[in-house]
Amino acid sequence: MSSASAAAAAVLLSALLFVSCTRTVQFVDLQGGAALTGTHSPWRRSITVTLPTGETVAGTYTKLAASDMGPESLFFGANAGELLGRHAVDRVYGYVRLTGEQGNVVEMIFASDWLGNGHGVARTSSKEEYRVTF
């Protein structure tokens, strides 16, 4: 195999591993410190977590826009910059609304790097707040 073919095969293998991987996302309750563990799929741009009630909430994230934090949002009136830390050019800012089969809602805003590692804040429709890392 030529070095060009080997390089192409390595790139393809790396891409396939990235596509198929899911990562752990950790939600830590800011009041009691209890932790929830979910999954983050960078390829599908999705996050899933099971709440303490046993309900699974899931959603697909998008780039954070001002309209995401409008009057219907659990983050209405919040300052994303204060919640996520200082602005950095190497960060992507995102938003996800996770919904469950029993009607619970979790909204999350986050900042991540180009490798998909990040942090954020999540709020639930039952007024809990979590620090999120992935």
Side-chain angles (χ1 to χ4, degrees), residues 63-107:
K63 185 175 177 182
L64 180 63
S67 60
D68 294 326
M69 295 173 65
E72 302 299 317
S73 173
L74 299 173
F75 286 101
F76 182 63
N79 182 320
E82 289 178 5
L83 292 171
L84 298 174
R86 62 186 175 99
H87 178 75
V89 295
D90 63 340
R91 296 275 179 198
V92 174
Y93 295 89
Y95 167 84
V96 63
R97 183 178 176 91
L98 310 172
T99 56
E101 62 274 359
Q102 296 171 11
N104 283 309
V105 173
V106 177
E107 285 188 31

Side-chain angles (χ1 to χ4, degrees), residues 17 19 26 29 39 45 48 54 93 110 114 118 131 134:
L17 289 173
V19 167
Q26 180 113 19
D29 186 335
T39 58
R45 299 175 60 106
T48 303
Y93 295 89
F110 62 89
W114 64 278
R131 180 68 51 200
F134 53 92

Side-chain angles (χ1 to χ4, degrees), residues 52-66:
T53 61
E55 180 180 12
T56 299
V57 293
T60 303
Y61 57 86
T62 61
K63 185 175 177 182
L64 180 63

